[in-house]
Amino acid sequence: MKRSSGARLCSTAAIGALSLALLTGCSSDDGSKDSKDSKDSSSATASAASDAKASTAAELEKLLLAQGDVKGYKVDSGDDTLPKSKTAVKTDKAACDPLAWATAGLAPGDTDANASNSVTEDKSASVTASPSEADIEDAFNVNMTFVGLSSYDGDGAEKAMKAVSDGVTACSGGYALAAEGEKSKVTKVASEKGTGGGDESVAFSEDVDVDGEGTATFHTEVIRKGNTVATFYTVNFAALASGKATSIPAAVVQAQVTKLK
């Protein structure tokens, strides 16, 4: 992966580990009512999941963040450097595919219902008529977050989250990635604490080899709300060049999750 193609790093960062919540039923020793209620509740939950119908791509587009939804950020339709199809993203381990897909704003699970855009810090108000070198450098010091939404029938969203969680474990030692002709090497994947929200959330960091001269660390978060899965991946090219850490803006995550049904 060449430094001149830094923008394509957007499609190489991976996702962190998802902690799945396990539902357990309780029963008392002095009767069967609690057990019955628990079974009824579990059955109702399972039934609701099996009856879930995926939203269309057009419906997901309407759920994406729009201009004005997050103060201090600009919303764009997307970025041409990101792959438009899963076929353009290949890894050397099938278990790592959901990580690469989510990072590229693609659905981490089995669905064709997908929509994405980008949300970028707006520093235009601070740019002067005669910017100094420091002003110009600061103009590039912005967080750009790629947001992807995908929707699933039945329990597909839960399966997508499990695939991400399993992938973090299976790919902790790294994997090779090819995205639209650019080859990269992820050397490490690790779970971390994210903003959270929704019904399930996963956050992870990924170390990517930079021309054999060191590594750059990226962060991704995946959140499920109902049968919709949202993915967040942030890149800051100024921070990348200086080696500084970049985090996913909590305001962007919270605003997007709030818009989901």
Short mmCIF file of all heavy atoms in Angstrom, two decimals, residues 76-113:
data_model
loop_
_atom_site.label_atom_id
_atom_site.label_comp_id
_atom_site.label_asym_id
_atom_site.label_seq_id
_atom_site.Cartn_x
_atom_site.Cartn_y
_atom_site.Cartn_z
N ASP A 76 -21.87 14.25 2.96
CA ASP A 76 -21.76 14.04 1.53
C ASP A 76 -22.31 12.66 1.16
O ASP A 76 -22.42 11.77 2.01
CB ASP A 76 -20.30 14.14 1.08
CG ASP A 76 -19.73 15.54 1.30
OD1 ASP A 76 -20.36 16.50 0.82
OD2 ASP A 76 -18.68 15.64 1.94
N SER A 77 -22.59 12.48 -0.12
CA SER A 77 -23.21 11.22 -0.56
C SER A 77 -22.28 10.03 -0.42
O SER A 77 -22.73 8.89 -0.37
CB SER A 77 -23.66 11.34 -2.01
OG SER A 77 -22.54 11.63 -2.85
N GLY A 78 -20.98 10.26 -0.36
CA GLY A 78 -20.06 9.14 -0.23
C GLY A 78 -18.68 9.53 -0.70
O GLY A 78 -18.36 10.70 -0.84
N ASP A 79 -17.86 8.54 -1.01
CA ASP A 79 -16.50 8.80 -1.45
C ASP A 79 -16.14 7.83 -2.56
O ASP A 79 -16.31 6.63 -2.43
CB ASP A 79 -15.53 8.64 -0.28
CG ASP A 79 -14.11 9.02 -0.67
OD1 ASP A 79 -13.76 10.21 -0.59
OD2 ASP A 79 -13.37 8.12 -1.08
N ASP A 80 -15.62 8.37 -3.68
CA ASP A 80 -15.34 7.55 -4.85
C ASP A 80 -14.23 6.54 -4.62
O ASP A 80 -14.06 5.61 -5.41
CB ASP A 80 -14.98 8.44 -6.04
CG ASP A 80 -16.17 9.25 -6.54
OD1 ASP A 80 -17.31 8.83 -6.25
OD2 ASP A 80 -15.96 10.29 -7.19
N THR A 81 -13.43 6.73 -3.57
CA THR A 81 -12.34 5.78 -3.33
C THR A 81 -12.83 4.50 -2.66
O THR A 81 -12.09 3.52 -2.61
CB THR A 81 -11.25 6.41 -2.44
OG1 THR A 81 -11.80 6.70 -1.16
CG2 THR A 81 -10.71 7.69 -3.07
N LEU A 82 -14.04 4.50 -2.15
CA LEU A 82 -14.55 3.31 -1.48
C LEU A 82 -15.15 2.34 -2.49
O LEU A 82 -15.79 2.75 -3.46
CB LEU A 82 -15.62 3.69 -0.46
CG LEU A 82 -15.13 4.39 0.80
CD1 LEU A 82 -16.29 4.76 1.69
CD2 LEU A 82 -14.14 3.52 1.55
N PRO A 83 -14.96 1.04 -2.29
CA PRO A 83 -15.53 0.04 -3.19
C PRO A 83 -17.05 0.13 -3.21
O PRO A 83 -17.69 0.42 -2.21
CB PRO A 83 -15.07 -1.28 -2.57
CG PRO A 83 -13.86 -0.93 -1.77
CD PRO A 83 -14.15 0.44 -1.22
N LYS A 84 -17.63 -0.12 -4.36
CA LYS A 84 -19.08 -0.08 -4.51
C LYS A 84 -19.71 -1.46 -4.37
O LYS A 84 -20.93 -1.58 -4.25
CB LYS A 84 -19.45 0.50 -5.88
CG LYS A 84 -18.91 1.90 -6.12
CD LYS A 84 -19.38 2.87 -5.05
CE LYS A 84 -18.84 4.28 -5.32
NZ LYS A 84 -19.20 5.22 -4.23
N SER A 85 -18.89 -2.50 -4.39
CA SER A 85 -19.41 -3.86 -4.32
C SER A 85 -18.47 -4.74 -3.51
O SER A 85 -17.25 -4.51 -3.47
CB SER A 85 -19.55 -4.43 -5.74
OG SER A 85 -19.81 -5.81 -5.70
N LYS A 86 -19.02 -5.76 -2.89
CA LYS A 86 -18.22 -6.70 -2.11
C LYS A 86 -17.23 -7.45 -2.99
O LYS A 86 -16.18 -7.90 -2.51
CB LYS A 86 -19.13 -7.71 -1.39
CG LYS A 86 -19.96 -7.10 -0.27
CD LYS A 86 -20.81 -8.17 0.39
CE LYS A 86 -21.64 -7.59 1.53
NZ LYS A 86 -22.48 -8.60 2.17
N THR A 87 -17.54 -7.59 -4.28
CA THR A 87 -16.64 -8.30 -5.18
C THR A 87 -15.32 -7.56 -5.37
O THR A 87 -14.33 -8.14 -5.80
CB THR A 87 -17.30 -8.52 -6.55
OG1 THR A 87 -17.64 -7.24 -7.11
CG2 THR A 87 -18.55 -9.36 -6.42
N ALA A 88 -15.30 -6.26 -5.03
CA ALA A 88 -14.08 -5.47 -5.17
C ALA A 88 -13.20 -5.56 -3.94
O ALA A 88 -12.10 -5.01 -3.92
CB ALA A 88 -14.44 -4.01 -5.44
N VAL A 89 -13.66 -6.25 -2.91
CA VAL A 89 -12.91 -6.38 -1.66
C VAL A 89 -12.64 -7.86 -1.39
O VAL A 89 -13.56 -8.65 -1.21
CB VAL A 89 -13.71 -5.78 -0.47
CG1 VAL A 89 -12.92 -5.90 0.82
CG2 VAL A 89 -14.06 -4.33 -0.76
N LYS A 90 -11.38 -8.23 -1.37
CA LYS A 90 -11.01 -9.62 -1.18
C LYS A 90 -9.99 -9.76 -0.05
O LYS A 90 -9.05 -8.97 0.04
CB LYS A 90 -10.44 -10.22 -2.47
CG LYS A 90 -11.40 -10.16 -3.66
CD LYS A 90 -10.79 -10.80 -4.89
CE LYS A 90 -11.71 -10.67 -6.09
NZ LYS A 90 -12.99 -11.36 -5.88
N THR A 91 -10.19 -10.75 0.81
CA THR A 91 -9.22 -11.04 1.86
C THR A 91 -8.71 -12.47 1.67
O THR A 91 -9.26 -13.23 0.88
CB THR A 91 -9.84 -10.93 3.27
OG1 THR A 91 -10.70 -12.06 3.49
CG2 THR A 91 -10.65 -9.64 3.41
N ASP A 92 -7.66 -12.81 2.39
CA ASP A 92 -7.12 -14.17 2.28
C ASP A 92 -7.74 -15.12 3.30
O ASP A 92 -7.36 -16.27 3.38
CB ASP A 92 -5.60 -14.16 2.42
CG ASP A 92 -5.13 -13.67 3.78
OD1 ASP A 92 -5.94 -13.07 4.52
OD2 ASP A 92 -3.94 -13.88 4.12
N LYS A 93 -8.71 -14.60 4.09
CA LYS A 93 -9.42 -15.43 5.06
C LYS A 93 -10.89 -15.08 5.00
O LYS A 93 -11.27 -13.93 5.26
CB LYS A 93 -8.89 -15.20 6.48
CG LYS A 93 -7.43 -15.53 6.69
CD LYS A 93 -7.01 -15.19 8.12
CE LYS A 93 -5.54 -15.43 8.36
NZ LYS A 93 -5.13 -15.05 9.74
N ALA A 94 -11.73 -16.04 4.68
CA ALA A 94 -13.16 -15.76 4.55
C ALA A 94 -13.75 -15.16 5.82
O ALA A 94 -14.65 -14.31 5.76
CB ALA A 94 -13.91 -17.05 4.20
N ALA A 95 -13.24 -15.56 6.98
CA ALA A 95 -13.75 -15.05 8.25
C ALA A 95 -13.50 -13.56 8.41
O ALA A 95 -14.17 -12.89 9.21
CB ALA A 95 -13.13 -15.81 9.42
N CYS A 96 -12.53 -13.02 7.65
CA CYS A 96 -12.18 -11.61 7.76
C CYS A 96 -13.00 -10.73 6.81
O CYS A 96 -12.95 -9.50 6.91
CB CYS A 96 -10.70 -11.41 7.47
SG CYS A 96 -9.60 -12.40 8.51
N ASP A 97 -13.75 -11.35 5.90
CA ASP A 97 -14.54 -10.58 4.94
C ASP A 97 -15.48 -9.58 5.60
O ASP A 97 -15.54 -8.42 5.18
CB ASP A 97 -15.34 -11.52 4.04
CG ASP A 97 -14.47 -12.24 3.02
OD1 ASP A 97 -13.30 -11.83 2.83
OD2 ASP A 97 -14.95 -13.22 2.42
N PRO A 98 -16.25 -9.97 6.64
CA PRO A 98 -17.17 -9.01 7.26
C PRO A 98 -16.46 -7.78 7.81
O PRO A 98 -17.02 -6.67 7.81
CB PRO A 98 -17.83 -9.82 8.39
CG PRO A 98 -17.76 -11.23 7.91
CD PRO A 98 -16.43 -11.32 7.23
N LEU A 99 -15.22 -7.92 8.27
CA LEU A 99 -14.46 -6.79 8.78
C LEU A 99 -14.13 -5.82 7.65
O LEU A 99 -14.31 -4.62 7.76
CB LEU A 99 -13.16 -7.28 9.43
CG LEU A 99 -13.27 -8.37 10.50
CD1 LEU A 99 -11.91 -8.61 11.13
CD2 LEU A 99 -14.29 -8.01 11.55
N ALA A 100 -13.63 -6.38 6.55
CA ALA A 100 -13.26 -5.55 5.40
C ALA A 100 -14.50 -4.88 4.80
O ALA A 100 -14.45 -3.71 4.41
CB ALA A 100 -12.56 -6.40 4.35
N TRP A 101 -15.61 -5.60 4.71
CA TRP A 101 -16.83 -5.03 4.14
C TRP A 101 -17.35 -3.87 4.99
O TRP A 101 -17.68 -2.80 4.47
CB TRP A 101 -17.91 -6.10 4.03
CG TRP A 101 -17.60 -7.16 3.03
CD1 TRP A 101 -16.78 -7.06 1.94
CD2 TRP A 101 -18.10 -8.51 3.01
NE1 TRP A 101 -16.73 -8.25 1.25
CE2 TRP A 101 -17.53 -9.15 1.88
CE3 TRP A 101 -18.96 -9.22 3.84
CZ2 TRP A 101 -17.81 -10.49 1.57
CZ3 TRP A 101 -19.24 -10.54 3.53
CH2 TRP A 101 -18.68 -11.17 2.41
N ALA A 102 -17.40 -4.07 6.29
CA ALA A 102 -17.93 -3.03 7.18
C ALA A 102 -17.07 -1.77 7.12
O ALA A 102 -17.58 -0.65 7.13
CB ALA A 102 -18.01 -3.55 8.61
N THR A 103 -15.77 -1.96 7.03
CA THR A 103 -14.86 -0.83 6.96
C THR A 103 -15.04 -0.04 5.67
O THR A 103 -14.82 1.16 5.62
CB THR A 103 -13.41 -1.33 7.07
OG1 THR A 103 -13.25 -1.97 8.33
CG2 THR A 103 -12.42 -0.19 7.00
N ALA A 104 -15.45 -0.73 4.62
CA ALA A 104 -15.65 -0.08 3.32
C ALA A 104 -17.06 0.46 3.16
O ALA A 104 -17.46 0.85 2.06
CB ALA A 104 -15.34 -1.08 2.20
N GLY A 105 -17.85 0.48 4.23
CA GLY A 105 -19.21 0.99 4.16
C GLY A 105 -20.18 0.02 3.51
O GLY A 105 -21.30 0.39 3.16
N LEU A 106 -19.76 -1.24 3.37
CA LEU A 106 -20.60 -2.28 2.78
C LEU A 106 -21.26 -3.11 3.88
O LEU A 106 -20.80 -3.12 5.02
CB LEU A 106 -19.77 -3.19 1.87
CG LEU A 106 -19.08 -2.49 0.68
CD1 LEU A 106 -18.06 -3.43 0.05
CD2 LEU A 106 -20.11 -2.05 -0.35
N ALA A 107 -22.32 -3.82 3.53
CA ALA A 107 -23.02 -4.65 4.50
C ALA A 107 -22.12 -5.77 5.00
O ALA A 107 -21.59 -6.53 4.19
CB ALA A 107 -24.29 -5.24 3.88
N PRO A 108 -21.95 -5.92 6.32
CA PRO A 108 -21.12 -7.01 6.83
C PRO A 108 -21.80 -8.36 6.77
O PRO A 108 -21.14 -9.39 6.95
CB PRO A 108 -20.86 -6.59 8.29
CG PRO A 108 -22.05 -5.76 8.64
CD PRO A 108 -22.42 -5.03 7.38
N GLY A 109 -23.11 -8.38 6.52
CA GLY A 109 -23.86 -9.63 6.46
C GLY A 109 -24.44 -9.89 5.09
O GLY A 109 -24.15 -9.18 4.11
N ASP A 110 -25.28 -10.92 5.00
CA ASP A 110 -25.85 -11.37 3.74
C ASP A 110 -27.12 -10.60 3.40
O ASP A 110 -28.22 -10.96 3.82
CB ASP A 110 -26.15 -12.88 3.83
CG ASP A 110 -26.64 -13.45 2.51
OD1 ASP A 110 -26.48 -12.76 1.48
OD2 ASP A 110 -27.18 -14.58 2.51
N THR A 111 -26.96 -9.51 2.66
CA THR A 111 -28.10 -8.70 2.23
C THR A 111 -27.68 -7.81 1.06
O THR A 111 -26.49 -7.50 0.91
CB THR A 111 -28.63 -7.81 3.37
OG1 THR A 111 -29.77 -7.09 2.91
CG2 THR A 111 -27.56 -6.82 3.82
N ASP A 112 -28.65 -7.44 0.25
CA ASP A 112 -28.40 -6.49 -0.84
C ASP A 112 -28.87 -5.09 -0.48
O ASP A 112 -28.69 -4.14 -1.25
CB ASP A 112 -29.13 -6.94 -2.12
CG ASP A 112 -28.56 -8.25 -2.67
OD1 ASP A 112 -27.34 -8.45 -2.56
OD2 ASP A 112 -29.34 -9.06 -3.21
N ALA A 113 -29.51 -4.96 0.70
CA ALA A 113 -30.03 -3.67 1.14
C ALA A 113 -28.93 -2.90 1.85
O ALA A 113 -28.60 -3.19 3.01
CB ALA A 113 -31.23 -3.86 2.06
#
